[in-house]
Amino acid sequence: PYFLVFCPKERSIDSARKEPIKKWEDNKLSDNALSKIEKIGEIESYRSFWDFEINRKIFKVYTKKSYFVPEISNFLFFNHNLYTAEHDIPYQQRALVDLAAAKKTWLFDTNGEKKKVKVLIYDIETTEFGTGKDNIPIDIIGYSNFDITFESYKNLDNEEFSFDILDCPSNWQDMDINQLVSPNIDEEINNLSSFCETVSKYDIISGHNIIGFDNLHVYNRVNWIIKSHNDNISVDKKKIFQNFLKKYSRPDKSFYFGVNSEAVQFYPCSLDTYLGVRKFYSFLNDFSLKSVAPFLGIELKNRLILTPAQIKIDDRTLKYNKQDVQEQIGVTLNLIQQALPLAFTTCMPFDMLLSSGAVSMWDHMSLIRGAVQKKIMPPI
């Protein structure tokens, strides 16, 4: 994490940089703002945001944690009469922008080669609701999978982008559906460890409202099992759970018109089709799976609809879960062909892309252009 520092015209950038360096070296072991600096970069030339003909001499101040940036930025502004910029960029976005600008990585870029991504679609059923959010048993996990083959190419110098999907399934009705049923805690532990292993083998994890429901429940349940049944879990299963929690899942927040709700992202990336529908078909009155599927032409004969009170471990619920997964496959196939090219063109992962509006996408691409061309960016 870092931000840019420059000085008024009447000051020399060399002396302006030496002053905080000396103060920082003297205060490394103290408990003030300067002790939270990791390092101070060399002097670089950046272009002014408002007048590209003007070059400004800047240096970067790197912080030990991303959330230290505002405090250190304020300290240098008020105590050292230094100007700061690019101090409001979220760390995840800052890292993505810099990796892209440095040509180290670009999302879904195949460099013109044919590549394949593996997609997992899943849906859970819970038959009861416990006293806490983290101890709700996951009784049924239904899942399926498919592959998408594509090739893509970009040229940042002339901002040329090409993305072609070469092979994508068309028949969602005939895909195999796997179902893990857990009538007791021992079976649930076995099934959850198996599912956690499965998740790690795929590139994209998809489902409808998964980050706010399915992912959240799986994450909380695995956490609860490790804490409550630690002595009854084998070493191998414990490693699977810990690896899943550490590497393949991250608690997050979801915001919609200012309303904050809990969410969990699964990695490498989660494609939440609820957010996708809200983005690509914002004119719909209802974004639920039962409304979206028929709108997209995904219709099942004898579609079973159950209320939460009717969910049980029985044949009827298993059929309901299977049909849910089938519909989610169809919805995923529709949305992924829109989301993949857009994620590539903007270099935004699904968790950022699908929850953002057009302004956020333009901001992100402007940040990449600014980083490539070394322009000082204003607050986004």
Side-chain angles (χ1 to χ4, degrees), residues 186-245:
D186 291 331
E187 284 297 316
E188 188 183 6
I189 290 172
N190 290 335
N191 287 335
L192 278 174
S193 66
S194 173
F195 182 71
C196 288
E197 265 196 312
T198 299
V199 166
S200 67
K201 297 174 183 176
Y202 286 83
D203 305 302
I204 298 173
I205 316 301
S206 180
H208 205 73
N209 194 30
I210 54 172
I211 70 164
F213 185 80
D214 305 75
N215 289 7
L216 181 65
H217 281 301
V218 170
Y219 177 84
N220 286 333
R221 189 61 173 174
V222 170
N223 254 322
W224 180 83
I225 286 173
I226 287 179
K227 294 174 185 176
S228 304
H229 293 266
N230 188 56
D231 295 336
N232 300 327
I233 307 174
S234 69
V235 173
D236 290 340
K237 285 186 174 61
K238 198 176 298 183
K239 285 181 180 178
I240 292 171
F241 285 145
Q242 290 170 342
N243 189 51
F244 170 76
L245 294 175

Short mmCIF file of all heavy atoms in Angstrom, two decimals, residues 186-245:
data_model
loop_
_atom_site.label_atom_id
_atom_site.label_comp_id
_atom_site.label_asym_id
_atom_site.label_seq_id
_atom_site.Cartn_x
_atom_site.Cartn_y
_atom_site.Cartn_z
N ASP A 186 -21.71 -36.46 11.33
CA ASP A 186 -20.56 -37.19 10.77
C ASP A 186 -20.58 -37.17 9.25
O ASP A 186 -19.55 -36.95 8.60
CB ASP A 186 -20.55 -38.63 11.29
CG ASP A 186 -20.24 -38.72 12.77
OD1 ASP A 186 -19.53 -37.82 13.26
OD2 ASP A 186 -20.71 -39.66 13.43
N GLU A 187 -21.77 -37.41 8.68
CA GLU A 187 -21.91 -37.35 7.22
C GLU A 187 -21.68 -35.93 6.71
O GLU A 187 -21.10 -35.72 5.65
CB GLU A 187 -23.30 -37.85 6.79
CG GLU A 187 -23.48 -39.34 6.85
CD GLU A 187 -22.55 -40.05 5.89
OE1 GLU A 187 -22.41 -39.61 4.73
OE2 GLU A 187 -21.93 -41.06 6.29
N GLU A 188 -22.13 -34.96 7.48
CA GLU A 188 -21.95 -33.56 7.08
C GLU A 188 -20.47 -33.20 7.03
O GLU A 188 -20.03 -32.51 6.10
CB GLU A 188 -22.70 -32.63 8.03
CG GLU A 188 -22.70 -31.18 7.56
CD GLU A 188 -23.37 -30.24 8.55
OE1 GLU A 188 -23.74 -30.69 9.66
OE2 GLU A 188 -23.51 -29.06 8.21
N ILE A 189 -19.72 -33.63 8.01
CA ILE A 189 -18.27 -33.37 8.02
C ILE A 189 -17.61 -34.00 6.79
O ILE A 189 -16.78 -33.38 6.12
CB ILE A 189 -17.63 -33.89 9.32
CG1 ILE A 189 -18.08 -33.02 10.51
CG2 ILE A 189 -16.11 -33.90 9.22
CD1 ILE A 189 -17.67 -33.57 11.86
N ASN A 190 -17.99 -35.26 6.50
CA ASN A 190 -17.44 -35.94 5.32
C ASN A 190 -17.80 -35.19 4.03
O ASN A 190 -16.95 -34.98 3.16
CB ASN A 190 -17.97 -37.37 5.23
CG ASN A 190 -17.38 -38.27 6.31
OD1 ASN A 190 -16.29 -38.00 6.82
ND2 ASN A 190 -18.09 -39.31 6.68
N ASN A 191 -19.07 -34.80 3.93
CA ASN A 191 -19.54 -34.14 2.71
C ASN A 191 -18.95 -32.74 2.55
O ASN A 191 -18.60 -32.33 1.44
CB ASN A 191 -21.07 -34.05 2.71
CG ASN A 191 -21.72 -35.40 2.46
OD1 ASN A 191 -21.11 -36.29 1.85
ND2 ASN A 191 -22.94 -35.58 2.93
N LEU A 192 -18.84 -32.01 3.64
CA LEU A 192 -18.26 -30.67 3.56
C LEU A 192 -16.77 -30.73 3.19
O LEU A 192 -16.29 -29.90 2.42
CB LEU A 192 -18.46 -29.91 4.87
CG LEU A 192 -19.83 -29.25 5.06
CD1 LEU A 192 -19.95 -28.66 6.46
CD2 LEU A 192 -20.07 -28.16 4.01
N SER A 193 -16.05 -31.67 3.74
CA SER A 193 -14.63 -31.79 3.40
C SER A 193 -14.48 -32.17 1.92
O SER A 193 -13.59 -31.66 1.23
CB SER A 193 -13.94 -32.82 4.29
OG SER A 193 -14.44 -34.11 4.07
N SER A 194 -15.37 -33.04 1.44
CA SER A 194 -15.35 -33.42 0.03
C SER A 194 -15.66 -32.21 -0.85
O SER A 194 -15.00 -31.98 -1.87
CB SER A 194 -16.37 -34.53 -0.23
OG SER A 194 -16.49 -34.80 -1.61
N PHE A 195 -16.65 -31.41 -0.43
CA PHE A 195 -17.02 -30.24 -1.22
C PHE A 195 -15.92 -29.18 -1.21
O PHE A 195 -15.64 -28.56 -2.23
CB PHE A 195 -18.33 -29.65 -0.70
CG PHE A 195 -18.81 -28.47 -1.48
CD1 PHE A 195 -19.30 -28.61 -2.77
CD2 PHE A 195 -18.76 -27.19 -0.94
CE1 PHE A 195 -19.73 -27.52 -3.51
CE2 PHE A 195 -19.19 -26.09 -1.67
CZ PHE A 195 -19.67 -26.26 -2.96
N CYS A 196 -15.29 -28.98 -0.06
CA CYS A 196 -14.19 -28.01 0.03
C CYS A 196 -13.05 -28.40 -0.89
O CYS A 196 -12.41 -27.54 -1.51
CB CYS A 196 -13.71 -27.89 1.47
SG CYS A 196 -14.86 -27.03 2.57
N GLU A 197 -12.78 -29.70 -0.98
CA GLU A 197 -11.75 -30.17 -1.91
C GLU A 197 -12.17 -29.92 -3.35
O GLU A 197 -11.36 -29.53 -4.19
CB GLU A 197 -11.52 -31.67 -1.69
CG GLU A 197 -10.37 -31.99 -0.77
CD GLU A 197 -9.93 -33.44 -0.89
OE1 GLU A 197 -10.81 -34.32 -0.87
OE2 GLU A 197 -8.73 -33.69 -1.01
N THR A 198 -13.46 -30.12 -3.62
CA THR A 198 -13.98 -29.91 -4.97
C THR A 198 -13.84 -28.46 -5.39
O THR A 198 -13.42 -28.15 -6.51
CB THR A 198 -15.45 -30.35 -5.05
OG1 THR A 198 -15.56 -31.74 -4.73
CG2 THR A 198 -16.03 -30.11 -6.44
N VAL A 199 -14.20 -27.53 -4.49
CA VAL A 199 -14.12 -26.10 -4.79
C VAL A 199 -12.72 -25.71 -5.26
O VAL A 199 -12.55 -24.94 -6.20
CB VAL A 199 -14.54 -25.26 -3.56
CG1 VAL A 199 -14.15 -23.80 -3.74
CG2 VAL A 199 -16.04 -25.38 -3.32
N SER A 200 -11.70 -26.27 -4.60
CA SER A 200 -10.32 -25.88 -4.90
C SER A 200 -9.86 -26.33 -6.28
O SER A 200 -8.82 -25.89 -6.76
CB SER A 200 -9.38 -26.45 -3.83
OG SER A 200 -9.33 -27.87 -3.91
N LYS A 201 -10.63 -27.20 -6.94
CA LYS A 201 -10.24 -27.70 -8.25
C LYS A 201 -10.83 -26.89 -9.40
O LYS A 201 -10.57 -27.19 -10.57
CB LYS A 201 -10.67 -29.17 -8.39
CG LYS A 201 -9.99 -30.11 -7.40
CD LYS A 201 -10.56 -31.51 -7.49
CE LYS A 201 -9.92 -32.42 -6.43
NZ LYS A 201 -10.53 -33.78 -6.45
N TYR A 202 -11.64 -25.87 -9.08
CA TYR A 202 -12.32 -25.11 -10.12
C TYR A 202 -11.83 -23.67 -10.16
O TYR A 202 -11.30 -23.15 -9.19
CB TYR A 202 -13.84 -25.17 -9.92
CG TYR A 202 -14.41 -26.51 -10.30
CD1 TYR A 202 -14.38 -27.58 -9.40
CD2 TYR A 202 -14.92 -26.74 -11.57
CE1 TYR A 202 -14.86 -28.84 -9.76
CE2 TYR A 202 -15.40 -27.99 -11.94
CZ TYR A 202 -15.37 -29.03 -11.03
OH TYR A 202 -15.83 -30.27 -11.40
N ASP A 203 -12.05 -23.03 -11.32
CA ASP A 203 -11.60 -21.65 -11.52
C ASP A 203 -12.69 -20.64 -11.16
O ASP A 203 -12.40 -19.54 -10.69
CB ASP A 203 -11.20 -21.44 -12.99
CG ASP A 203 -10.16 -22.45 -13.45
OD1 ASP A 203 -9.09 -22.50 -12.82
OD2 ASP A 203 -10.42 -23.19 -14.41
N ILE A 204 -13.94 -20.99 -11.42
CA ILE A 204 -15.07 -20.09 -11.16
C ILE A 204 -16.13 -20.87 -10.39
O ILE A 204 -16.52 -21.97 -10.78
CB ILE A 204 -15.67 -19.57 -12.48
CG1 ILE A 204 -14.63 -18.75 -13.25
CG2 ILE A 204 -16.91 -18.71 -12.21
CD1 ILE A 204 -15.08 -18.34 -14.66
N ILE A 205 -16.57 -20.30 -9.27
CA ILE A 205 -17.63 -20.89 -8.46
C ILE A 205 -18.89 -20.06 -8.67
O ILE A 205 -18.89 -18.86 -8.41
CB ILE A 205 -17.27 -20.90 -6.95
CG1 ILE A 205 -15.83 -21.36 -6.74
CG2 ILE A 205 -18.25 -21.77 -6.18
CD1 ILE A 205 -15.50 -22.72 -7.26
N SER A 206 -19.96 -20.69 -9.16
CA SER A 206 -21.15 -19.94 -9.54
C SER A 206 -22.40 -20.45 -8.83
O SER A 206 -22.46 -21.60 -8.39
CB SER A 206 -21.35 -20.01 -11.06
OG SER A 206 -22.49 -19.29 -11.45
N GLY A 207 -23.38 -19.58 -8.73
CA GLY A 207 -24.67 -19.90 -8.14
C GLY A 207 -25.45 -18.62 -7.94
O GLY A 207 -24.93 -17.51 -8.10
N HIS A 208 -26.72 -18.77 -7.58
CA HIS A 208 -27.60 -17.60 -7.43
C HIS A 208 -27.64 -17.16 -5.97
O HIS A 208 -28.05 -17.93 -5.10
CB HIS A 208 -29.01 -17.93 -7.93
CG HIS A 208 -29.78 -16.72 -8.36
ND1 HIS A 208 -29.50 -16.04 -9.53
CD2 HIS A 208 -30.81 -16.06 -7.78
CE1 HIS A 208 -30.33 -15.03 -9.66
NE2 HIS A 208 -31.13 -15.00 -8.61
N ASN A 209 -27.19 -15.95 -5.71
CA ASN A 209 -27.10 -15.38 -4.36
C ASN A 209 -26.15 -16.18 -3.48
O ASN A 209 -26.37 -16.33 -2.28
CB ASN A 209 -28.49 -15.31 -3.71
CG ASN A 209 -28.50 -14.43 -2.46
OD1 ASN A 209 -27.73 -13.49 -2.34
ND2 ASN A 209 -29.34 -14.77 -1.51
N ILE A 210 -25.06 -16.68 -4.06
CA ILE A 210 -24.16 -17.52 -3.27
C ILE A 210 -23.33 -16.72 -2.27
O ILE A 210 -23.06 -17.19 -1.17
CB ILE A 210 -23.23 -18.38 -4.16
CG1 ILE A 210 -22.46 -17.53 -5.17
CG2 ILE A 210 -23.99 -19.49 -4.84
CD1 ILE A 210 -21.40 -18.29 -5.94
N ILE A 211 -22.89 -15.50 -2.63
CA ILE A 211 -22.00 -14.80 -1.70
C ILE A 211 -22.74 -14.36 -0.44
O ILE A 211 -22.14 -14.22 0.62
CB ILE A 211 -21.28 -13.60 -2.35
CG1 ILE A 211 -22.25 -12.46 -2.66
CG2 ILE A 211 -20.50 -14.02 -3.57
CD1 ILE A 211 -21.54 -11.15 -2.94
N GLY A 212 -24.04 -14.16 -0.54
CA GLY A 212 -24.80 -13.74 0.63
C GLY A 212 -25.54 -14.87 1.32
O GLY A 212 -26.09 -14.67 2.42
N PHE A 213 -25.54 -16.07 0.73
CA PHE A 213 -26.25 -17.20 1.36
C PHE A 213 -25.39 -18.47 1.37
O PHE A 213 -24.86 -18.86 2.40
CB PHE A 213 -27.59 -17.47 0.68
CG PHE A 213 -28.40 -18.53 1.36
CD1 PHE A 213 -29.15 -18.22 2.50
CD2 PHE A 213 -28.40 -19.84 0.90
CE1 PHE A 213 -29.89 -19.21 3.16
CE2 PHE A 213 -29.12 -20.83 1.55
CZ PHE A 213 -29.87 -20.51 2.67
N ASP A 214 -25.25 -19.12 0.21
CA ASP A 214 -24.59 -20.43 0.16
C ASP A 214 -23.14 -20.37 0.64
O ASP A 214 -22.73 -21.14 1.51
CB ASP A 214 -24.66 -21.00 -1.26
CG ASP A 214 -26.08 -21.06 -1.80
OD1 ASP A 214 -26.61 -19.99 -2.16
OD2 ASP A 214 -26.65 -22.16 -1.85
N ASN A 215 -22.35 -19.44 0.05
CA ASN A 215 -20.95 -19.30 0.49
C ASN A 215 -20.86 -18.97 1.96
O ASN A 215 -20.03 -19.51 2.69
CB ASN A 215 -20.26 -18.18 -0.30
CG ASN A 215 -19.99 -18.52 -1.74
OD1 ASN A 215 -20.42 -19.56 -2.23
ND2 ASN A 215 -19.29 -17.65 -2.43
N LEU A 216 -21.73 -18.06 2.39
CA LEU A 216 -21.73 -17.61 3.78
C LEU A 216 -22.00 -18.77 4.73
O LEU A 216 -21.31 -18.95 5.74
CB LEU A 216 -22.77 -16.51 3.96
CG LEU A 216 -22.91 -15.90 5.36
CD1 LEU A 216 -21.64 -15.17 5.76
CD2 LEU A 216 -24.11 -14.95 5.41
N HIS A 217 -23.01 -19.60 4.40
CA HIS A 217 -23.36 -20.73 5.27
C HIS A 217 -22.27 -21.80 5.28
O HIS A 217 -21.96 -22.37 6.33
CB HIS A 217 -24.69 -21.34 4.85
CG HIS A 217 -25.89 -20.56 5.33
ND1 HIS A 217 -26.13 -20.31 6.66
CD2 HIS A 217 -26.89 -19.96 4.66
CE1 HIS A 217 -27.24 -19.61 6.79
NE2 HIS A 217 -27.72 -19.37 5.58
N VAL A 218 -21.70 -22.09 4.12
CA VAL A 218 -20.62 -23.08 4.06
C VAL A 218 -19.43 -22.62 4.88
O VAL A 218 -18.86 -23.37 5.68
CB VAL A 218 -20.21 -23.36 2.60
CG1 VAL A 218 -18.93 -24.20 2.55
CG2 VAL A 218 -21.32 -24.06 1.85
N TYR A 219 -19.04 -21.36 4.70
CA TYR A 219 -17.91 -20.79 5.43
C TYR A 219 -18.14 -20.84 6.94
O TYR A 219 -17.28 -21.29 7.71
CB TYR A 219 -17.68 -19.35 4.97
CG TYR A 219 -16.56 -18.64 5.69
CD1 TYR A 219 -15.23 -18.78 5.29
CD2 TYR A 219 -16.83 -17.81 6.79
CE1 TYR A 219 -14.21 -18.13 5.96
CE2 TYR A 219 -15.81 -17.15 7.46
CZ TYR A 219 -14.51 -17.31 7.04
OH TYR A 219 -13.49 -16.66 7.72
N ASN A 220 -19.31 -20.38 7.38
CA ASN A 220 -19.62 -20.35 8.81
C ASN A 220 -19.72 -21.76 9.40
O ASN A 220 -19.27 -22.01 10.52
CB ASN A 220 -20.94 -19.60 9.05
CG ASN A 220 -20.78 -18.10 8.90
OD1 ASN A 220 -19.70 -17.56 9.10
ND2 ASN A 220 -21.85 -17.42 8.55
N ARG A 221 -20.28 -22.68 8.63
CA ARG A 221 -20.43 -24.05 9.13
C ARG A 221 -19.07 -24.74 9.28
O ARG A 221 -18.82 -25.44 10.27
CB ARG A 221 -21.33 -24.85 8.19
CG ARG A 221 -21.73 -26.22 8.72
CD ARG A 221 -22.51 -26.14 10.01
NE ARG A 221 -23.03 -27.46 10.42
CZ ARG A 221 -23.65 -27.70 11.56
NH1 ARG A 221 -23.84 -26.72 12.43
NH2 ARG A 221 -24.08 -28.90 11.86
N VAL A 222 -18.20 -24.56 8.30
CA VAL A 222 -16.85 -25.15 8.40
C VAL A 222 -16.11 -24.57 9.59
O VAL A 222 -15.45 -25.30 10.35
CB VAL A 222 -16.06 -24.89 7.08
CG1 VAL A 222 -14.59 -25.27 7.27
CG2 VAL A 222 -16.66 -25.69 5.93
N ASN A 223 -16.23 -23.26 9.80
CA ASN A 223 -15.62 -22.62 10.97
C ASN A 223 -16.15 -23.23 12.26
O ASN A 223 -15.38 -23.52 13.19
CB ASN A 223 -15.92 -21.11 10.96
CG ASN A 223 -14.70 -20.28 10.59
OD1 ASN A 223 -13.59 -20.60 10.99
ND2 ASN A 223 -14.91 -19.23 9.84
N TRP A 224 -17.45 -23.40 12.33
CA TRP A 224 -18.09 -23.95 13.54
C TRP A 224 -17.66 -25.39 13.78
O TRP A 224 -17.38 -25.79 14.92
CB TRP A 224 -19.61 -23.88 13.39
CG TRP A 224 -20.34 -24.41 14.58
CD1 TRP A 224 -20.64 -23.77 15.75
CD2 TRP A 224 -20.88 -25.74 14.72
NE1 TRP A 224 -21.32 -24.59 16.60
CE2 TRP A 224 -21.48 -25.81 16.00
CE3 TRP A 224 -20.93 -26.86 13.90
CZ2 TRP A 224 -22.11 -26.95 16.47
CZ3 TRP A 224 -21.55 -28.01 14.35
CH2 TRP A 224 -22.13 -28.05 15.63
N ILE A 225 -17.56 -26.19 12.71
CA ILE A 225 -17.15 -27.59 12.85
C ILE A 225 -15.73 -27.68 13.40
O ILE A 225 -15.44 -28.50 14.28
CB ILE A 225 -17.29 -28.33 11.50
CG1 ILE A 225 -18.76 -28.59 11.19
CG2 ILE A 225 -16.50 -29.63 11.50
CD1 ILE A 225 -19.02 -29.16 9.81
N ILE A 226 -14.83 -26.85 12.88
CA ILE A 226 -13.44 -26.87 13.36
C ILE A 226 -13.38 -26.53 14.85
O ILE A 226 -12.62 -27.15 15.61
CB ILE A 226 -12.58 -25.89 12.55
CG1 ILE A 226 -12.32 -26.46 11.16
CG2 ILE A 226 -11.24 -25.62 13.24
CD1 ILE A 226 -11.50 -25.55 10.27
N LYS A 227 -14.18 -25.57 15.27
CA LYS A 227 -14.15 -25.16 16.68
C LYS A 227 -14.87 -26.15 17.59
O LYS A 227 -14.41 -26.41 18.70
CB LYS A 227 -14.81 -23.77 16.82
CG LYS A 227 -14.04 -22.65 16.14
CD LYS A 227 -14.82 -21.35 16.19
CE LYS A 227 -14.12 -20.24 15.42
NZ LYS A 227 -14.91 -18.99 15.38
N SER A 228 -15.99 -26.71 17.11
CA SER A 228 -16.82 -27.53 17.99
C SER A 228 -16.51 -29.02 17.92
O SER A 228 -16.83 -29.76 18.85
CB SER A 228 -18.31 -27.32 17.64
OG SER A 228 -18.65 -25.96 17.73
N HIS A 229 -15.91 -29.48 16.84
CA HIS A 229 -15.66 -30.92 16.66
C HIS A 229 -14.20 -31.18 16.33
O HIS A 229 -13.88 -32.14 15.62
CB HIS A 229 -16.56 -31.47 15.55
CG HIS A 229 -18.02 -31.47 15.90
ND1 HIS A 229 -18.66 -32.55 16.45
CD2 HIS A 229 -18.94 -30.49 15.80
CE1 HIS A 229 -19.93 -32.25 16.65
NE2 HIS A 229 -20.12 -31.00 16.26
N ASN A 230 -13.35 -30.34 16.84
CA ASN A 230 -11.93 -30.43 16.52
C ASN A 230 -11.34 -31.80 16.85
O ASN A 230 -10.54 -32.36 16.10
CB ASN A 230 -11.16 -29.33 17.25
CG ASN A 230 -9.71 -29.25 16.81
OD1 ASN A 230 -9.42 -29.09 15.63
ND2 ASN A 230 -8.80 -29.39 17.77
N ASP A 231 -11.75 -32.36 17.99
CA ASP A 231 -11.19 -33.65 18.43
C ASP A 231 -11.71 -34.83 17.62
O ASP A 231 -11.12 -35.91 17.64
CB ASP A 231 -11.52 -33.88 19.91
CG ASP A 231 -10.84 -32.85 20.80
OD1 ASP A 231 -9.82 -32.29 20.36
OD2 ASP A 231 -11.33 -32.61 21.92
N ASN A 232 -12.84 -34.62 16.90
CA ASN A 232 -13.45 -35.73 16.16
C ASN A 232 -13.12 -35.70 14.66
O ASN A 232 -13.59 -36.55 13.92
CB ASN A 232 -14.97 -35.70 16.32
CG ASN A 232 -15.38 -35.83 17.78
OD1 ASN A 232 -14.72 -36.51 18.56
ND2 ASN A 232 -16.47 -35.17 18.16
N ILE A 233 -12.34 -34.71 14.25
CA ILE A 233 -12.01 -34.58 12.83
C ILE A 233 -10.62 -35.17 12.58
O ILE A 233 -9.69 -34.92 13.35
CB ILE A 233 -12.02 -33.10 12.38
CG1 ILE A 233 -13.33 -32.43 12.77
CG2 ILE A 233 -11.80 -32.98 10.89
CD1 ILE A 233 -13.35 -30.94 12.48
N SER A 234 -10.49 -35.94 11.52
CA SER A 234 -9.18 -36.51 11.18
C SER A 234 -8.22 -35.41 10.78
O SER A 234 -8.62 -34.30 10.40
CB SER A 234 -9.34 -37.52 10.03
OG SER A 234 -9.67 -36.85 8.83
N VAL A 235 -6.94 -35.72 10.84
CA VAL A 235 -5.91 -34.74 10.47
C VAL A 235 -6.07 -34.30 9.03
O VAL A 235 -5.94 -33.11 8.70
CB VAL A 235 -4.50 -35.34 10.70
CG1 VAL A 235 -3.43 -34.40 10.17
CG2 VAL A 235 -4.28 -35.64 12.18
N ASP A 236 -6.39 -35.25 8.15
CA ASP A 236 -6.54 -34.92 6.73
C ASP A 236 -7.70 -33.97 6.49
O ASP A 236 -7.59 -33.00 5.73
CB ASP A 236 -6.74 -36.19 5.90
CG ASP A 236 -5.48 -37.03 5.82
OD1 ASP A 236 -4.39 -36.46 6.07
OD2 ASP A 236 -5.57 -38.23 5.53
N LYS A 237 -8.84 -34.25 7.14
CA LYS A 237 -10.01 -33.38 6.96
C LYS A 237 -9.75 -32.01 7.56
O LYS A 237 -10.19 -30.99 7.01
CB LYS A 237 -11.24 -34.02 7.60
CG LYS A 237 -11.83 -35.18 6.80
CD LYS A 237 -13.12 -35.67 7.42
CE LYS A 237 -13.80 -36.72 6.54
NZ LYS A 237 -12.97 -37.91 6.36
N LYS A 238 -9.05 -31.98 8.67
CA LYS A 238 -8.74 -30.69 9.30
C LYS A 238 -7.89 -29.84 8.36
O LYS A 238 -8.09 -28.63 8.23
CB LYS A 238 -8.00 -30.92 10.62
CG LYS A 238 -8.01 -29.74 11.56
CD LYS A 238 -7.34 -30.09 12.89
CE LYS A 238 -8.09 -31.20 13.60
NZ LYS A 238 -7.48 -31.52 14.92
N LYS A 239 -6.93 -30.47 7.68
CA LYS A 239 -6.10 -29.74 6.72
C LYS A 239 -6.92 -29.21 5.56
O LYS A 239 -6.71 -28.08 5.09
CB LYS A 239 -4.98 -30.65 6.20
CG LYS A 239 -3.86 -30.90 7.19
CD LYS A 239 -2.78 -31.79 6.57
CE LYS A 239 -1.64 -32.04 7.56
NZ LYS A 239 -0.62 -32.95 6.98
N ILE A 240 -7.87 -30.02 5.09
CA ILE A 240 -8.74 -29.59 3.99
C ILE A 240 -9.55 -28.36 4.42
O ILE A 240 -9.64 -27.37 3.68
CB ILE A 240 -9.69 -30.73 3.57
CG1 ILE A 240 -8.89 -31.86 2.90
CG2 ILE A 240 -10.77 -30.21 2.62
CD1 ILE A 240 -9.69 -33.11 2.65
N PHE A 241 -10.15 -28.42 5.61
CA PHE A 241 -10.96 -27.30 6.11
C PHE A 241 -10.11 -26.04 6.29
O PHE A 241 -10.50 -24.95 5.90
CB PHE A 241 -11.63 -27.68 7.43
CG PHE A 241 -12.80 -28.61 7.28
CD1 PHE A 241 -13.07 -29.58 8.23
CD2 PHE A 241 -13.65 -28.52 6.19
CE1 PHE A 241 -14.15 -30.44 8.11
CE2 PHE A 241 -14.73 -29.38 6.04
CZ PHE A 241 -14.99 -30.34 7.01
N GLN A 242 -8.96 -26.20 6.91
CA GLN A 242 -8.11 -25.04 7.17
C GLN A 242 -7.59 -24.43 5.88
O GLN A 242 -7.51 -23.20 5.75
CB GLN A 242 -6.94 -25.45 8.08
CG GLN A 242 -7.38 -25.76 9.51
CD GLN A 242 -6.28 -26.40 10.35
OE1 GLN A 242 -5.30 -26.93 9.81
NE2 GLN A 242 -6.43 -26.36 11.66
N ASN A 243 -7.25 -25.27 4.91
CA ASN A 243 -6.80 -24.78 3.61
C ASN A 243 -7.91 -24.03 2.90
O ASN A 243 -7.68 -22.97 2.29
CB ASN A 243 -6.33 -25.97 2.76
CG ASN A 243 -5.64 -25.52 1.48
OD1 ASN A 243 -4.72 -24.72 1.51
ND2 ASN A 243 -6.09 -26.05 0.35
N PHE A 244 -9.12 -24.56 3.01
CA PHE A 244 -10.29 -23.91 2.39
C PHE A 244 -10.55 -22.54 3.01
O PHE A 244 -10.75 -21.56 2.30
CB PHE A 244 -11.51 -24.81 2.56
CG PHE A 244 -12.81 -24.15 2.17
CD1 PHE A 244 -13.14 -23.97 0.84
CD2 PHE A 244 -13.68 -23.70 3.15
CE1 PHE A 244 -14.34 -23.35 0.47
CE2 PHE A 244 -14.87 -23.08 2.80
CZ PHE A 244 -15.20 -22.91 1.47
N LEU A 245 -10.51 -22.47 4.33
CA LEU A 245 -10.76 -21.19 5.01
C LEU A 245 -9.66 -20.18 4.74
O LEU A 245 -9.93 -18.98 4.58
CB LEU A 245 -10.90 -21.42 6.53
CG LEU A 245 -12.10 -22.24 6.99
CD1 LEU A 245 -12.02 -22.46 8.50
CD2 LEU A 245 -13.41 -21.54 6.63
#
